Amino acid sequence: MSKVARFHQTGGPEVLQLDELELDTPKADEVLIKINAIGLNRAEVMFRSGQYLETPSLPARLGYEASGIIEQLGANVSHFNIGDKVNVIPAFSMNEYGTYAEKAVIPVQAIVRQPDSLSDQEAAAIWMQYLTAWGALIDIGQLSAGQTLLVPAASSSVGLAAIQIANQVGATPIAITRTAAKKAVLLEQGAKHVIVRESQQIAEQVQLITGGKGADMVFDPVAGPSLGELADVCGQFATIFVYGALSPEPTAFPLFAALEKGLTFRGYTLFEFTRDAERLQQGVEFIQKGLSAGHLKPVIAKTFSLNEIVAAHQYMESNQQLGKIIVTT
């Protein structure tokens, strides 16, 4: 038996409950993992509330990330062994698999060996954030030295990952945050500049920082009305990646900025490459090198136990965190 966090109806954090379920036996190309730590993601909050890319099949599991130890191997699994320490990466549907559990069956294409230098909690905090940022900024966007990257919602784990990756390739990350409370820590985490929405004009600050050139790239999880403002501060032929929908308001297309500047708008999720073995391996290698060199360092905001899963989701929805929320088993 295993404790598994599930929801039997969509809604707020309170719909999450721990169910005692009989363990599944891994089928071909699957492994059973004893979970040590789980990384929480905004996508799971949206899935739980019924506002995600796919509709949950109730009662639904959830969870994209974890660190753990392999306990059983399904057929066809030859490059992992029982006892291996591994990490789960987002490369599956939560209607089929989920990591919010003491033990979970996971498809083998969604696991990688845990980096030796990381604790279980750190290892549960790396793959969603760094792969999401790598896929857009490096694999697709080809962000390079001398370019300027604008990062809204910069205190999220993915926002911090984008800042670190920009620094790794020699670009200039500009963080955008709602209040001044997180400005100092964003600078400590590598942002070259921080724009505070409540007291500063984004357009004015980007003009000053870039010498009137505008941003080369935007990495936006918010969308909504602010997309037009972001388009206005872009330079010629800039790319805007939209990888989330945190704003509850409609997103109007900034037509005139797009036409005038030749902007590229790119809807994006990491799933477009995590199921492509070759591209995924490139991302994993980039991240492993960054971790080894010290360019990439996961930031853990707060840790909860699995019994506190409701409180963990409540904390995520409070938007107080800087970095990754971790749940231990």
Side-chain angles (χ1 to χ4, degrees), residues 9-257:
Q9 63 183 36
T10 58
E14 68 281 355
V15 303
L16 292 172
Q17 64 184 62
L18 290 181
D19 297 333
E20 286 277 354
L21 300 181
E22 188 173 344
L23 283 171
D24 296 327
T25 299
K27 299 188 288 291
D29 302 311
E30 293 180 337
V31 296
L32 175 67
I33 297 174
K34 180 185 180 296
I35 303 294
N36 291 327
I38 303 156
L40 268 57
N41 295 288
R42 187 69 62 172
E44 294 141 16
V45 170
M46 298 174 72
F47 187 65
R48 185 211 70 220
S49 60
Q51 299 175 336
Y52 192 48
L53 298 171
E54 57 181 331
T55 302
S57 299
L58 301 172
R61 301 180 184 228
L62 69 172
Y64 276 132
E65 284 186 285
S67 63
I69 299 172
I70 294 178
E71 286 199 342
Q72 292 183 38
L73 304 174
N76 301 333
V77 178
S78 58
H79 49 292
F80 289 99
N81 297 302
I82 292 173
D84 284 350
K85 297 189 76 170
V86 295
N87 301 155
V88 182
I89 62 174
F92 49 81
S93 165
M94 285 190 287
N95 277 323
E96 298 175 358
Y97 302 95
T99 60
Y100 285 21
E102 293 176 321
K103 297 186 180 185
V105 171
I106 300 294
V108 70
Q109 76 270 11
I111 63 171
V112 294
R113 298 186 188 281
Q114 180 165 311
D116 293 334
S117 61
L118 300 183
S119 68
D120 291 337
Q121 294 186 23
E122 289 174 325
I126 58 176
W127 296 108
M128 173 69 92
Q129 62 174 329
Y130 289 126
L131 284 173
T132 298
W134 174 85
L137 306 185
I138 306 302
D139 184 49
I140 300 170
Q142 299 292 301
L143 184 68
S144 59
Q147 292 188 312
T148 300
L149 173 69
L150 206 55
V151 187
S155 60
S156 70
S157 60
V158 179
L160 294 178
I163 289 169
Q164 293 179 11
I165 286 176
N167 283 323
Q168 183 174 346
V169 300
T172 299
I174 303 174
I176 300 177
T177 188
R178 188 169 52 86
T179 71
K182 297 176 181 177
K183 180 176 180 177
V185 72
L186 284 169
L187 290 169
E188 291 173 7
Q189 292 300 322
K192 293 296 187 288
H193 307 273
V194 178
I195 300 173
V196 179
R197 277 189 176 276
E198 68 176 7
S199 61
Q200 295 178 304
Q201 295 295 318
I202 293 178
E204 177 183 329
Q205 292 302 310
V206 173
Q207 284 286 101
L208 287 172
I209 293 166
T210 65
K213 177 177 176 288
D216 297 294
M217 193 178 296
V218 178
F219 190 49
D220 180 34
V222 182
S226 65
L227 186 65
E229 187 176 23
L230 295 173
D232 287 340
V233 301
C234 282
Q236 287 293 119
F237 310 120
T239 298
I240 299 177
F241 287 97
V242 180
Y243 71 97
L246 295 180
S247 174
E249 300 179 58
T251 302
F253 183 70
L255 176 62
F256 289 106

